Amino acid sequence: MQVNKFADMHPRERLLKAARELGLDATATEIANNAGFKNRKSVNYYFCSIKLLKKNVGFVVRTPKERLVEAAKDAGTGAFGRKIANLAGYASHKIINLEFGSLNKLKLMAGTYASNKNDVKWSGVEFSPKDESIGVRIPNDIDETVAEETGIHVGDGCLPKMSNARHYRIEVGGHKIDEKRYYDEVVAALFKRAYNYHATPKGVSTKYAIIINSKALFTFKKNVIKLPIGNKDSIGIPEIIMNSPDDIKKAFVRGLADTDFSLVFSKKHKNKYYYPTITAMFSSKLLIEHLEMVLKELGFNPKTTFNVNHLNSRNKDKILTGHMIRVFGVGGLEKWVSEIGFHNPKHFTKYLIWKEFGHCPPRMTTPERESIIRGEKELCAM
């Protein structure tokens, strides 16, 4: 029994030895039981408190506040309360309110309160308390990161109409298989770099998506970028992008193309799918007109076709009218990759296979193309 182990020792020594054996995180009850006592009262009797006992052992005992401040520093500016609490060894984020009153006050003490609410130059941007506590930052300039993320929004995103006016929701999503890596590695990183927002993609219905609730991001997109709430049938390239330098326009086009363009290869005059076309169809005529204007400014030779009837992919009995833009040929593709680029593996893996083999068959998934590029599968076996 535990009592025999300490039979010839003074109770204080028994408790000190038990504490050394069990380590810093042991409770008073665990130490007392290990030392052969029935309950933790022995700890208070001989040492007044568990904290003093551990100090006598030589442990550096940190208060809950100290542990939370250290965890907040390790977690960084955008961390949520739950993550900080878990890093500090607590199961619930409620410990933060108990010790500090709010996450904001904890982050102020840790020096990780990084919201730029008071430094934003744009009118119409509003921060919620949550935005402030997690360190959301709204950029004062439209750089390439913001432009690319805006292109992604125009392609795959929306500001949905919500029944509750207090909900400030942003949604952006793509294909569960073909675009999973793109959302995990590229889109989430853009939100972090542009807005200091930790976005987590996840499967939502038939999509792989990022859903954000942020008043600051929502009002920035709505009131500064001028993105519409609800459907995008009349959307164009935002004026703030159209009036920007070429590098900003290229970043926007890259984000839009990554999400809503297609890179296809046709047989044309051969038996292999070798001839490249970069193509897109939108319900908004204005967006096609803006794209044509921008691409021509960048030295491309796009072809547009308006009022194209096509089947609704979700309802085959319904005919929709769209508008197309295409960039044809090897020269167009190589110029695109060189000057605009693709960040979506869905497109870039097609380009890499075409460059390696001289053709790229259709109906392969992105993971299948990646396995060919890594040399794990043969192209002819697909």
Side-chain angles (χ1 to χ4, degrees), residues 54-125:
K54 290 184 177 181
K55 281 189 175 180
N56 272 271
V57 174
F59 292 143
V60 177
V61 181
R62 295 174 301 163
T63 65
K65 277 190 168 130
E66 291 170 336
R67 293 166 65 180
L68 287 165
V69 167
E70 185 177 331
K73 290 177 179 177
D74 291 340
T77 57
F80 291 93
R82 185 172 287 105
K83 180 179 179 180
I84 294 171
N86 291 343
L87 283 175
Y90 298 102
S92 171
H93 64 282
K94 293 179 180 178
I95 186 69
I96 293 173
N97 288 335
L98 184 64
E99 295 292 333
F100 292 92
S102 71
L103 181 58
N104 284 2
K105 291 179 180 177
L106 165 58
K107 289 192 170 186
L108 282 169
M109 185 170 288
T112 58
Y113 183 81
S115 168
N116 67 336
K117 174 185 176 181
N118 297 324
D119 301 319
V120 176
K121 74 174 187 181
W122 313 106
S123 61
V125 177

Side-chain angles (χ1 to χ4, degrees), residues 137-174:
R137 299 183 66 83
I138 297 301
N140 282 321
D141 299 295
I142 305 301
D143 60 11
E144 291 184 42
T145 303
V146 175
E148 185 169 350
E149 189 280 316
T150 301
I152 291 168
H153 183 105
V154 171
D156 268 356
C158 69
L159 302 176
K161 290 182 178 179
M162 305 296 291
S163 57
N164 187 338
R166 296 180 63 188
H167 288 174
Y168 298 94
R169 183 161 166 160
I170 301 162
E171 298 179 7
V172 57

Side-chain angles (χ1 to χ4, degrees), residues 191-227:
F191 275 103
K192 173 61 179 171
R193 292 204 308 272
Y195 312 112
N196 196 39
Y197 191 98
H198 291 264
T200 304
K202 59 184 178 180
V204 178
S205 184
T206 59
K207 292 183 176 182
Y208 194 66
I210 288 173
I211 297 175
I212 291 171
N213 289 289
S214 167
K215 188 175 185 179
L217 266 64
F218 187 98
T219 53
F220 174 71
K221 286 175 173 286
K222 174 179 175 287
N223 298 327
V224 178
I225 305 296
K226 305 294 186 183
L227 294 170

Side-chain angles (χ1 to χ4, degrees), residues 234-362:
S234 302
I235 198 170
I237 298 179
E239 184 177 353
I240 201 167
I241 302 292
M242 292 290 285
N243 293 333
S244 295
D246 285 353
D247 58 341
I248 303 300
K249 293 175 183 175
K250 288 177 182 178
F252 173 88
V253 171
R254 180 170 56 250
L256 179 58
D258 275 341
T259 51
D260 236 9
F261 276 51
S262 296
L263 173 58
V264 297
F265 295 89
S266 57
K267 290 184 176 181
K268 208 168 176 69
H269 307 300
K270 299 180 181 179
N271 289 325
K272 292 183 177 181
Y273 294 90
Y274 76 98
Y275 186 79
T277 304
I278 302 167
T279 180
M281 179 179 287
F282 295 102
S283 58
S284 171
K285 184 177 181 181
L286 180 62
L287 182 56
I288 294 293
E289 292 171 344
H290 282 175
L291 281 168
E292 181 182 28
M293 187 185 311
V294 167
L295 289 174
K296 284 183 176 179
E297 288 175 2
L298 296 175
F300 290 88
N301 184 29
K303 304 297 181 184
T304 56
T305 308
F306 296 98
N307 302 312
V308 179
N309 291 330
H310 62 99
L311 291 176
N312 186 339
S313 59
R314 297 178 182 176
N315 182 357
K316 299 299 183 181
D317 296 327
K318 188 175 181 180
I319 303 294
L320 300 177
T321 300
H323 314 283
M324 293 182 66
I325 188 165
R326 288 168 287 186
V327 174
F328 291 103
V330 173
L333 175 57
E334 293 289 18
K335 179 177 173 65
W336 188 289
V337 171
S338 173
E339 298 183 16
I340 296 175
F342 292 118
H343 283 170
N344 192 336
K346 179 180 72 172
H347 300 323
F348 196 57
T349 53
K350 293 180 182 179
Y351 171 77
L352 291 177
I353 286 178
W354 173 76
K355 287 289 286 185
E356 176 70 19
F357 300 99
H359 65 106
C360 182

